[in-house]
Amino acid sequence: VKKEIKQGKSTDKNREKTKENLAKNEKVVIKKETKKSKVIINIKDETRKMDDYNFDLQLDKLGVDSEFFKGPITASLNVSDVTLTDMVHGTTIMPKLTGFLRLEHDIISLPDLPEDSSAMPLVALDYTLEIGKNVRFISSMLGNLQLAGGAHFGGTTYEPNTSGSIYVKKGNINYLKTNFKVYQGEAQFGQPGSLLPKVVLRAGTNI
């Protein structure tokens, strides 16, 4: 079963039909498309168990305008189930996130980040971040940085395996009310057992 919902024409009837298709274990495809962007969502509920996942999301230059992010997003996200065995959790069925996120011509700021990540769910990862042209990180407290590079996140959220680096092409940072020019800035992924990168920064100013 294929169901298309065009922009501006989503109705209660569409939503009821989607629920009906899921109840029958049939595939539901939702599309939303404009001249500049496209969103495709595939949902397949095969056994209706809580540990069975099948969800697919595709974004093609979807425009986002929020407090922390402005610009287009191109991405692919698939959620499926996988069975893994380790010494800590034994044999576990968990969701697996697969896909990529590509950024170009975007402005990113910094939201409030949680101090404690111990409540992070157990999820398998195979996800790639790609940073293309004209991506800037802007913060009134930190500065203005033009970024490039990319990273890959594998393993699980509890035992991650990361690689790659995101670096500063040019920019400045603010520290103690002083503006510093960045000569080298890089977030190097690959620390064992951590999703966080090692940060290398060299900056200077005239006195």
Side-chain angles (χ1 to χ4, degrees), residues 37-54:
S37 64
K38 180 169 62 177
V39 178
I40 300 176
I41 303 175
N42 296 298
I43 306 172
K44 175 69 173 179
D45 185 359
E46 297 180 354
T47 63
R48 303 190 57 77
K49 294 181 180 179
M50 292 301 293
D51 56 4
D52 287 313
Y53 308 90
N54 198 321

Side-chain angles (χ1 to χ4, degrees), residues 22 30-31 33 38 43 49 51 56-57 59 89 93 116 124 158 167 172 177-179 198 205:
L22 285 177
I30 301 174
K31 291 186 177 182
E33 187 169 357
K38 180 169 62 177
I43 306 172
K49 294 181 180 179
D51 56 4
D56 188 67
L57 172 66
L59 306 177
H89 303 94
I93 299 176
D116 184 8
Y158 285 15
Y167 61 92
N172 59 76
K177 299 182 179 180
T178 303
N179 189 52
K198 172 185 177 182
T205 188

Side-chain angles (χ1 to χ4, degrees), residues 125 151-155 160-164 188-192 194-197:
L125 303 171
H152 179 263
F153 303 88
N161 180 14
T162 65
S163 61
Q188 301 173 347
F189 292 89
Q191 296 192 97
S194 176
L195 290 169
L196 299 178

Side-chain angles (χ1 to χ4, degrees), residues 63-156:
V64 178
D65 188 356
S66 72
E67 182 180 357
F68 305 116
F69 188 97
K70 297 181 185 297
I73 291 179
T74 297
S76 174
L77 173 63
N78 175 264
V79 182
S80 58
D81 59 271
V82 63
T83 302
L84 296 179
T85 302
D86 61 32
M87 297 181 63
V88 177
H89 303 94
T91 300
T92 306
I93 299 176
M94 68 188 75
K96 181 178 181 179
L97 304 185
T98 305
F100 69 89
L101 170 64
R102 183 180 299 119
L103 303 179
E104 282 192 338
H105 307 289
D106 297 313
I107 297 176
I108 306 168
S109 59
L110 186 64
D112 294 332
L113 299 177
E115 297 181 359
D116 184 8
S117 61
S118 61
M120 183 177 294
L122 179 59
V123 178
L125 303 171
D126 184 8
Y127 209 80
T128 299
L129 170 64
E130 304 171 7
I131 298 182
K133 299 178 181 178
N134 194 27
V135 175
R136 291 188 296 158
F137 173 82
I138 297 178
S139 169
S140 59
M141 297 182 62
L142 296 177
N144 187 334
L145 305 172
Q146 184 174 345
L147 305 177
H152 179 263
F153 303 88
T156 69

